[in-house]
Amino acid sequence: MKQKERRPGQKKTSGPSGESRRDDRTGRPPKPVARPAANRETAREAAVPAAIERPLMTRSGERPTERVPVILESLGAGDFHLIDSGNGEKLEQYGPYRIIRPEAQALWRPSLPAHVWEKVDAVFTGDTDEEGTGRWRFPKEALGETWPLNLLGVDFLGRFTSFRHVGVFPEQIVHWSWMKDQAEKAGRPLKVLNLFGYTGVASLVAAAAGAEVTHVDASKKAIGWARENQALGRMEKLPIRWICEDAMKFILREERRGSQYDIILTDPPKFGRGPNGEVWHLFEHLPLMLDVCREILSPKAVGLVLTAYSIRASFYSIHELMRETMRGAGGAVESGELVIREAGLDGKTQGRALSTSLFSRWVPK
């Protein structure tokens, strides 16, 4: 599936907390978290401490019912839509700017003529090495690093980063819309934990809907960007805790404290490092992360959401892991892919679906 690239601004990929993020999600940047080159990271791993661990819980009882495959599709929202894609690239609209970025999964030819693709404001070129050799080219005029955007009623800053990301991963809109709906109809302030939270758009959406949010990310730069977004939307008074820490260490501590959350969003990178050099490998550490997340779900929990990018796996791998993790909890596990549908120049003309990531979500009913 698709790779998440790093998020701009990330130099360390996030340890269990998600500092680095994403492969673009091409293939978590601001922060998508910056992901270091694999060969260089491999050489360092032996000298770096892994996150603190504990044994997995022994689960009993029936596994939750399953809903598969589930395709969660977005046609865009607010100031974003996917205009066209093809030849390994995607043409997107972010507010006033038309942008071209690499997209490995766009194997087909573009639908729109070349002159449409030529009339763009920004084009990402180069690779996404840790030193940031990727560059933005501005065909019309030089643009500033940031510009205002709005999704689901939340104002935030788009950002041209050296890792091809723009400060938001719009395919996540489907999860954010679900979370917003749950918070608005709950009749009480839901407690939301956003792990690997990046630039905070999901946290702001949840808080604006009435939730009490804890946002965790290992990147100081990403946390800083999240606070900028909060200030831009004049949302400083909303109940959000901004935590710069390794995600695994944080949730293990919350488990010892007996803390509980009604919704947990987790969007870990394939590989990352925490602020103190903690090493994160998705296939090695994801089972424990989900196991701890289950322990800190409240008795009236609304959902546990996992998104996975840049992994060579079927959605069934995380689907079955989620079902085993939630054994005995009842409810259902729904898993599949997040996709964005092309919407044309007008934002309404439906075209092909572009796959972006795998997901698995446990819900109590």
Side-chain angles (χ1 to χ4, degrees):
M1 289 294 312
K2 148 161 270 174
Q3 293 174 293
K4 288 180 187 170
E5 313 166 283
R6 308 171 211 182
R7 309 178 180 183
Q10 300 178 185
K11 274 218 172 165
K12 310 174 173 183
T13 20
S14 153
S17 82
E19 166 164 329
S20 35
R21 197 186 192 71
R22 319 203 167 218
D23 349 342
D24 188 340
R25 300 170 185 197
T26 181
R28 240 232 41 97
K31 205 182 159 220
V33 167
R35 308 213 174 186
N39 57 346
R40 184 162 45 229
E41 293 304 334
T42 301
R44 296 179 187 165
E45 286 173 24
V48 179
I52 299 172
E53 298 189 3
R54 65 144 171 84
L56 292 174
M57 295 287 194
T58 300
R59 306 291 181 185
S60 61
E62 296 295 321
R63 296 194 299 167
T65 58
E66 60 181 337
R67 300 171 190 152
V68 289
V70 175
I71 305 300
L72 297 182
E73 177 182 311
S74 171
L75 190 64
D79 289 340
F80 164 81
H81 70 269
L82 175 63
I83 300 171
D84 193 16
S85 61
N87 292 341
E89 295 181 316
K90 55 188 174 184
L91 178 62
E92 304 165 290
Q93 191 76 42
Y94 283 95
Y97 298 146
R98 188 177 298 176
I99 294 170
I100 293 177
R101 295 191 291 161
E103 179 46 69
Q105 296 204 91
L107 303 176
W108 43 83
R109 293 180 179 179
S111 295
L112 297 176
H115 70 82
V116 173
W117 284 72
E118 292 167 358
K119 295 179 180 179
V120 296
D121 300 285
V123 181
F124 185 87
T125 61
D127 61 34
T128 55
D129 181 72
E130 184 178 9
E131 276 65 47
T133 56
R135 294 288 183 270
W136 287 93
R137 178 170 59 85
F138 304 110
K140 297 179 181 178
E141 60 181 343
L143 300 176
E145 180 188 3
T146 64
W147 72 99
L149 289 172
N150 182 286
L151 288 179
L152 298 182
V154 168
D155 294 318
F156 63 98
L157 293 173
R159 191 177 301 262
F160 293 114
T161 74
S162 60
F163 304 100
R164 97 178 54 188
H165 299 292
V166 294
V168 64
F169 294 94
E171 62 271 18
Q172 296 282 346
I173 291 171
V174 288
H175 287 324
W176 302 344
S177 296
W178 168 84
M179 176 179 61
K180 180 176 184 289
D181 180 62
Q182 298 301 315
E184 290 175 341
K185 71 183 184 183
R188 61 186 174 92
L190 295 182
K191 294 187 66 176
V192 172
L193 174 60
N194 186 12
L195 295 175
F196 306 89
Y198 192 27
T199 56
V201 181
S203 297
L204 293 172
V205 168
E212 297 174 357
V213 182
T214 298
H215 174 108
V216 181
D217 200 288
S219 168
K220 289 182 180 179
K221 182 172 288 189
I223 294 290
W225 289 347
R227 288 184 177 277
E228 286 183 45
N229 287 335
Q230 184 181 30
L232 178 68
R234 299 180 180 178
M235 303 171 78
E236 294 93 339
K237 293 184 179 180
L238 291 181
I240 303 176
R241 291 193 300 157
W242 304 104
I243 309 292
C244 183
E245 187 174 357
D246 175 88
M248 186 71 87
K249 284 186 174 179
F250 177 80
I251 61 174
L252 284 166
R253 188 172 66 253
E254 290 293 87
E255 181 184 29
R256 293 192 295 271
R257 290 173 172 173
S259 300
Q260 294 183 327
Y261 296 90
D262 300 302
I263 294 177
I264 299 178
L265 303 179
T266 181
D267 187 13
K270 179 181 178 181
F271 173 83
R273 290 183 184 279
N276 296 313
E278 301 88 348
V279 174
W280 164 265
H281 286 291
L282 184 74
F283 286 104
E284 295 177 20
H285 298 117
L286 184 59
L288 176 59
M289 171 165 282
L290 288 183
D291 199 56
V292 178
C293 285
R294 172 171 175 176
E295 291 303 302
I296 60 177
L297 282 174
S298 72
K300 295 182 179 180
V302 175
L304 170 59
V305 181
L306 166 67
T307 308
Y309 293 79
S310 304
I311 64 173
R312 294 182 179 180
S314 162
F315 71 83
Y316 265 111
S317 61
I318 59 174
H319 173 72
E320 296 296 1
L321 173 60
M322 184 71 81
R323 291 187 75 204
E324 286 296 326
T325 300
M326 301 307 296
R327 184 183 285 276
V333 171
E334 46 196 20
S335 308
E337 297 188 26
L338 302 184
V339 304
I340 294 179
R341 178 79 57 181
E342 294 171 346
L345 287 169
D346 61 3
K348 300 176 182 178
T349 304
Q350 297 192 23
R352 296 159 300 204
L354 183 63
S355 176
T356 63
S357 63
L358 310 179
F359 84 94
S360 185
R361 180 169 67 190
W362 172 83
V363 292
K365 298 179 182 179

